[in-house]
């Protein structure tokens, strides 16, 4: 997990590292082939005073093509967005696998 001052800073740094696809716009790619994707970087940003300001920035890679991009999930998007739900599941599964 990486620590950046803001979501914008995280997105800029990830873009410089080659994470150029906006999966918030291109989410269908992940939904159609979820097994091809993995989370390679995660950044969580918490607002100073309001929990609704929380966000998670995912650096995602397609392990088949090598394509890399980002997905930004707001606090409420986990309940409302299919890709956010899928990424949360991947994140939880990755943590379970690290314990073994």
């Amino acid at each position: 997990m990486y620590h950046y001052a803001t979501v914008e800073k995280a997105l800029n740094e990830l873009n410089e590292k080659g994470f150029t696809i906006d999966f918030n716009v291109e989410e269908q790619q992940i939904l159609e082939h979820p097994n091809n994707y993995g989370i390679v970087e995660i950044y969580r940003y918490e607002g100073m005073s309001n929990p609704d300001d929380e966000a998670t920035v995912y650096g995602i890679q397609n392990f088949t093509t090598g394509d890399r991009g980002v997905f930004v999930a707001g606090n409420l998007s986990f309940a409302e967005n299919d890709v956010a739900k899928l990424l949360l599941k991947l994140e939880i599964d990755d943590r379970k696998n690290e314990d073994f």
Side-chain angles (χ1 to χ4, degrees), residues 6-98:
T6 64
V7 171
E8 181 180 7
K9 178 75 171 160
L11 291 172
N12 289 337
E13 296 263 338
L14 288 169
N15 187 272
E16 290 174 10
K17 293 180 179 181
F19 292 84
T20 56
I21 299 169
D22 182 348
F23 285 116
N24 289 84
V25 175
E26 302 291 334
E27 65 183 24
Q28 199 61 34
Q29 293 181 40
I30 296 173
L31 291 173
E32 290 175 1
H33 304 285
N35 294 330
N36 292 350
Y37 292 88
I39 299 166
V40 294
E41 298 198 30
I42 299 174
Y43 168 71
R44 282 194 174 64
Y45 177 75
E46 296 182 14
M48 294 289 284
S49 61
N50 186 345
D52 289 338
D53 292 339
E54 293 178 7
T56 303
V57 177
Y58 291 99
I60 302 166
Q61 183 168 344
N62 180 324
F63 295 123
T64 303
T65 65
D67 292 341
R68 299 170 93 186
V70 296
F71 185 87
V72 180
N75 186 32
L76 298 177
S77 69
F78 285 110
E80 301 170 359
N81 183 291
D82 289 336
V83 172
K85 290 177 192 175
L86 178 66
L87 293 174
L88 183 59
K89 181 185 178 320
L90 286 173
E91 182 181 348
I92 291 169
D93 290 348
D94 284 347
R95 287 185 183 199
K96 286 179 185 176
N97 291 335
E98 287 176 5

